[in-house]
Amino acid sequence: MKTILVLSMLAGWQPFDTPGWLDFVEGSFDEARERGAATNTADGLALACRSGLVIGGFKQHGSESVSSLHRALDDCEKALALDPDNVVAAVSYAIGIGYEAKRLRKASYVKASKERLEALVTRLPDDPLIVAAMGGWHSAVSNAGFLARLALGASRKEAQEYFERAIALDGQSIGTRFEYVRFLARGDKEERALARKELAIVLTLRPRDAAEKIMLKRLSALMEPLESGDKKAAKNTVIETSAFDDIDEWDEIEPYPLKPFDGHPS
């Protein structure tokens, strides 16, 4: 089973006084990770987790990206132990488990990610980060095929509804629009036409940090296949612009252990 959640939607939700935040904004993700982790605070560790996801997802490949993913999950667990209500850490953790699901092709990890996101959206239904992440889950799993959609309860309709709701809550999030455009670009002719319109919008937005700059650069690669109407090229570009794009080739590495879930995000 090939599925993925989306670290891109984490951009923008971070207290500005978090040590390492300016490093993250400027693109020094390694420094942001180390400075955030060194604080041993929930916000700092959440930033370390986010930084690790960006490093592993966009800057590394192979076993190095798996190591960064696993460290990010460790940092998120530490953050949630300090503050179970830390939204960035909780969403980051669910997204990280989604990437581990992609690597291992295990339904148990896909379900674990969904359970955590559903608990979050139930508790905070108007938080744009959580709503967008829920859209990302449905988008990723529905893309895995009919059987995955049927077995895991995903749908493209719900993905679109969650994305549109998240954009209504925060129209400036490049991360949310990044994933929405990529979701539409995998669809039918009508959806790809909408993707082209949405792409034109997102390319006018100003990045809030270096992670969003990476997303904009990757997203711009979709303009040509969408304008030409090349369905196959559009789908291939979506794959090529994904974070952790080759992580599913490294399934021999020991799985990150799933923790029992009691209904609370931590």
Side-chain angles (χ1 to χ4, degrees):
M1 179 176 299
K2 191 172 184 179
T3 187
I4 185 173
L5 282 178
V6 285
L7 66 88
S8 51
M9 290 177 299
L10 291 170
W13 281 267
Q14 185 74 46
F16 290 167
D17 60 351
T18 306
W21 172 243
L22 289 180
D23 296 299
F24 187 94
V25 171
E26 295 171 358
S28 299
F29 300 114
D30 290 289
E31 289 82 354
R33 178 169 60 180
E34 300 308 325
R35 289 183 181 177
T39 67
N40 199 32
T41 63
D43 285 333
L45 286 160
L47 176 61
C49 178
R50 291 179 60 186
S51 301
L53 291 176
V54 174
I55 292 166
F58 292 134
K59 298 292 186 179
Q60 295 175 327
H61 294 280
S63 60
E64 286 187 341
S65 69
V66 178
S67 295
S68 287
L69 171 60
H70 288 183
R71 176 176 170 180
L73 288 167
D74 283 340
D75 286 332
C76 272
E77 285 190 355
K78 292 174 184 176
L80 291 169
L82 293 169
D83 178 10
D85 296 322
N86 189 290
V87 171
V88 171
V91 175
S92 299
Y93 186 81
I95 288 174
I97 290 297
Y99 284 117
E100 187 72 344
K102 176 188 177 183
R103 184 176 76 85
L104 301 172
R105 303 178 183 88
K106 287 189 175 182
S108 58
Y109 283 75
V110 183
K111 291 177 180 178
S113 179
K114 183 184 183 183
E115 287 175 346
R116 290 176 176 276
L117 289 173
E118 285 181 332
L120 284 164
V121 81
T122 297
R123 182 162 61 92
L124 299 168
D126 294 322
D127 186 295
L129 172 59
I130 297 170
V131 174
M134 200 73 247
W137 186 92
H138 280 278
S139 171
V141 179
S142 65
N143 190 49
F146 173 75
L147 291 178
R149 292 196 298 271
L150 187 64
L152 298 168
S155 77
R156 286 187 62 82
K157 180 181 178 181
E158 286 196 64
Q160 184 159 359
E161 289 174 351
Y162 276 117
F163 281 135
E164 290 177 350
R165 184 173 155 204
I167 290 170
L169 290 167
D170 179 11
Q172 298 302 305
S173 171
I174 289 174
T176 298
R177 289 183 178 274
F178 173 84
E179 291 303 333
Y180 184 42
V181 170
R182 294 173 69 252
F183 160 75
L184 292 170
R186 295 195 304 262
D188 57 24
K189 184 176 181 180
E190 183 177 333
E191 288 176 319
R192 293 197 305 276
L194 180 56
R196 189 167 64 249
K197 293 179 181 178
E198 290 293 328
L199 178 57
I201 293 172
V202 71
L203 291 178
T204 67
L205 299 180
R206 180 179 179 180
R208 292 180 283 196
D209 54 52
E212 289 196 335
K213 289 180 181 178
I214 293 172
M215 294 169 220
L216 276 184
K217 183 177 180 180
R218 291 195 172 206
L219 198 58
S220 64
L222 266 171
M223 183 62 79
E224 182 176 345
L226 287 175
E227 288 185 338
S228 67
D230 191 330
K231 179 178 180 180
K232 183 177 180 180
K235 289 186 175 181
N236 287 340
T237 303
V238 169
I239 294 171
E240 292 164 3
T241 57
S242 297
F244 292 100
D245 58 342
D246 69 346
I247 201 170
D248 55 333
E249 299 173 12
W250 295 85
D251 58 349
E252 76 281 0
I253 298 175
E254 193 72 17
Y256 191 86
L258 279 180
K259 298 290 181 65
F261 183 58
D262 62 1
H264 193 281
S266 64

